[in-house]
Amino acid sequence: KQEVTQIPAALSVPEGENLVLNCSFTDSAIYNLQWFRQDPGKGLTSLLLIQSSQREQTSGRLNASLDKSSGRSTLYIAASQPGDSATYLCAVTPFSGGYQKVTFGTGTKLQVIP
Amino acid sequence: DVKVTQSSRYLVKRTGEKVFLECVQDMDHENMFWYRQDPGLGLRLIYFSYDVKMKEKGDIPEGYSVSREKKERFSLILESASTNQTSMYLCASKFANTDTQYFGPGTRLTVL
């Protein structure tokens, strides 16, 4: 059974700092990996999706990398801003492409202090 | 923009009540999903639907049922609510041939 772990559970950084969020998974036979953002009391918003054949994806100040062999993904946020404060979740879709089997991590709660 | 709406943001019900949670999407997505989110457990799939009138159990279907009579609407039903069903419920949808799910704002259900 796929397990997805995000450490740390919470992170607090000063504004302007570059930071890295971590996601690890136990089964490397994945179809893709997604990073989501969740604001308090709200749903999830997709940030980046990396297919299994890709190594990284970039969107603005965000860069996500994927290392399937080691079962790890990182989300790099450059020049963090208070508006980046949210919970960030990663989710892994298995190689079979069965969307019912998507496994979510429990998230890292990020606070960017002005 | 894709829009996924859920009928209530907050809901308080009594033990034993029948509860209906509604989800509507406006993008003609084939696939729809119901998750619950609990602290320390992450999102867990309750049910999903490939298309109209089609449904499949997820990881934790016990105590829940679903209905998808129209493409845009996916309903989650708690036949007899219990306190352990207190949770945040999230609906999502997507096209069958794409990877990205679009989530609704969530319904925070409290069962007393």
Side-chain angles (χ1 to χ4, degrees), chain B residues 5 36 40 61 72 92:
Chain B
T5 58
R36 64 177 283 177
E72 67 271 18

PDB file of all heavy atoms in Angstrom, chain B residues 5 36 40 61 72 92:
ATOM      1  N   THR B   5     -18.947  23.525  -6.797  1.00  0.00           N
ATOM      2  CA  THR B   5     -19.621  24.094  -5.631  1.00  0.00           C
ATOM      3  C   THR B   5     -20.195  22.985  -4.769  1.00  0.00           C
ATOM      4  O   THR B   5     -20.562  21.914  -5.251  1.00  0.00           O
ATOM      5  CB  THR B   5     -20.756  25.047  -6.058  1.00  0.00           C
ATOM      6  OG1 THR B   5     -21.684  24.332  -6.876  1.00  0.00           O
ATOM      7  CG2 THR B   5     -20.208  26.218  -6.855  1.00  0.00           C
ATOM      8  N   ARG B  36     -13.058  12.627   2.442  1.00  0.00           N
ATOM      9  CA  ARG B  36     -13.133  13.269   3.743  1.00  0.00           C
ATOM     10  C   ARG B  36     -11.705  13.543   4.205  1.00  0.00           C
ATOM     11  O   ARG B  36     -10.773  12.796   3.858  1.00  0.00           O
ATOM     12  CB  ARG B  36     -13.913  12.465   4.781  1.00  0.00           C
ATOM     13  CG  ARG B  36     -13.358  11.137   5.176  1.00  0.00           C
ATOM     14  CD  ARG B  36     -14.199  10.473   6.269  1.00  0.00           C
ATOM     15  NE  ARG B  36     -13.956  11.042   7.597  1.00  0.00           N
ATOM     16  CZ  ARG B  36     -14.594  10.690   8.694  1.00  0.00           C
ATOM     17  NH1 ARG B  36     -15.558   9.761   8.640  1.00  0.00           N
ATOM     18  NH2 ARG B  36     -14.318  11.248   9.850  1.00  0.00           N
ATOM     19  N   GLY B  40      -4.256  14.641  10.580  1.00  0.00           N
ATOM     20  CA  GLY B  40      -3.337  13.519  10.737  1.00  0.00           C
ATOM     21  C   GLY B  40      -3.596  12.337   9.808  1.00  0.00           C
ATOM     22  O   GLY B  40      -2.762  11.440   9.705  1.00  0.00           O
ATOM     23  N   PRO B  61     -15.884   3.500   2.289  1.00  0.00           N
ATOM     24  CA  PRO B  61     -17.289   3.709   1.901  1.00  0.00           C
ATOM     25  C   PRO B  61     -18.314   3.387   2.982  1.00  0.00           C
ATOM     26  O   PRO B  61     -19.494   3.751   2.842  1.00  0.00           O
ATOM     27  CB  PRO B  61     -17.446   2.731   0.737  1.00  0.00           C
ATOM     28  CG  PRO B  61     -16.515   1.617   1.083  1.00  0.00           C
ATOM     29  CD  PRO B  61     -15.329   2.271   1.752  1.00  0.00           C
ATOM     30  N   GLU B  72     -23.561  16.690 -13.880  1.00  0.00           N
ATOM     31  CA  GLU B  72     -22.967  17.788 -13.134  1.00  0.00           C
ATOM     32  C   GLU B  72     -23.109  17.642 -11.622  1.00  0.00           C
ATOM     33  O   GLU B  72     -22.505  18.407 -10.884  1.00  0.00           O
ATOM     34  CB  GLU B  72     -23.608  19.117 -13.564  1.00  0.00           C
ATOM     35  CG  GLU B  72     -25.086  19.279 -13.193  1.00  0.00           C
ATOM     36  CD  GLU B  72     -26.013  18.747 -14.268  1.00  0.00           C
ATOM     37  OE1 GLU B  72     -25.561  17.963 -15.129  1.00  0.00           O
ATOM     38  OE2 GLU B  72     -27.203  19.143 -14.226  1.00  0.00           O
ATOM     39  N   ALA B  92     -14.544  16.686  -5.634  1.00  0.00           N
ATOM     40  CA  ALA B  92     -13.629  17.042  -6.722  1.00  0.00           C
ATOM     41  C   ALA B  92     -14.175  16.490  -8.028  1.00  0.00           C
ATOM     42  O   ALA B  92     -14.974  15.548  -8.040  1.00  0.00           O
ATOM     43  CB  ALA B  92     -12.226  16.507  -6.455  1.00  0.00           C
TER      44      ALA B  92
END
